[in-house]
Amino acid sequence: MPAISKSDIKQYLKEAPMLEIAELVKEIEEEFGVSAAAAMPVMVAGGGAAAGAAAAVEEKTEFSVVLTDVGSQKINVIKAVREVTSLGLKEAKDLVEGAPKPIKEGVTKEEAATIKKKFEEAGAKVEIK
């Protein structure tokens, strides 16, 4: 196996489409059982990581907007994807055709509601997770 340096990885990430990078992150999270989310302090005494995770669920401040169904107006949905993301036309089209897919992650509840409204007006169905 050829040696791959950190600079090789960074160069790849600079050149790759963001959608491809997002998929790579998800694959790494699943394969290695890690999360790319910011590290949370873990409580050591009286509950450990499980109690810390339960507290994180109760205090959810970041949400993901997931495209679940495109509907009949695919072009309008692609336009909506381009409005709320920095994706180009091809990447937006690939995201829409690959539904269900996350549109935007780590957004506030208000921003997620705004995005959901925009997609519903375009004829798509989305979920806020």
Side-chain angles (χ1 to χ4, degrees):
M1 178 170 150
I4 299 174
S5 69
K6 288 182 185 179
S7 62
D8 292 337
I9 294 170
K10 287 192 270 185
Q11 186 62 36
Y12 168 75
L13 293 174
K14 287 179 186 175
E15 296 172 1
M18 292 309 293
L19 188 59
E20 189 175 307
I21 293 171
E23 290 172 355
L24 176 63
V25 169
K26 288 191 184 297
E27 289 175 20
I28 290 171
E29 288 175 338
E30 291 172 6
E31 178 126 356
F32 297 104
V34 297
S35 174
M40 288 189 47
V42 178
M43 297 179 350
V44 177
V57 171
E58 293 171 16
E59 300 173 21
K60 189 167 185 176
T61 58
E62 293 185 347
F63 297 86
S64 296
V65 183
V66 179
L67 177 65
T68 56
D69 184 40
V70 177
S72 60
Q73 299 179 354
K74 187 163 116 177
I75 293 173
N76 290 339
V77 177
I78 292 171
K79 288 179 183 177
V81 168
R82 294 195 66 205
E83 282 180 38
V84 299
T85 66
S86 60
L87 296 177
L89 181 60
K90 182 180 180 344
E91 290 85 3
K93 181 178 179 275
D94 291 345
L95 187 145
V96 169
E97 289 176 345
K101 290 260 186 175
I103 300 165
K104 202 159 187 182
E105 299 176 311
V107 297
T108 64
K109 189 172 188 173
E110 294 79 21
E111 186 178 356
T114 304
I115 293 170
K116 181 177 181 178
K117 182 180 178 199
K118 187 173 290 204
F119 277 86
E120 288 175 345
E121 288 172 355
K125 293 181 184 174
V126 296
E127 283 182 10
I128 299 175
K129 294 184 178 184

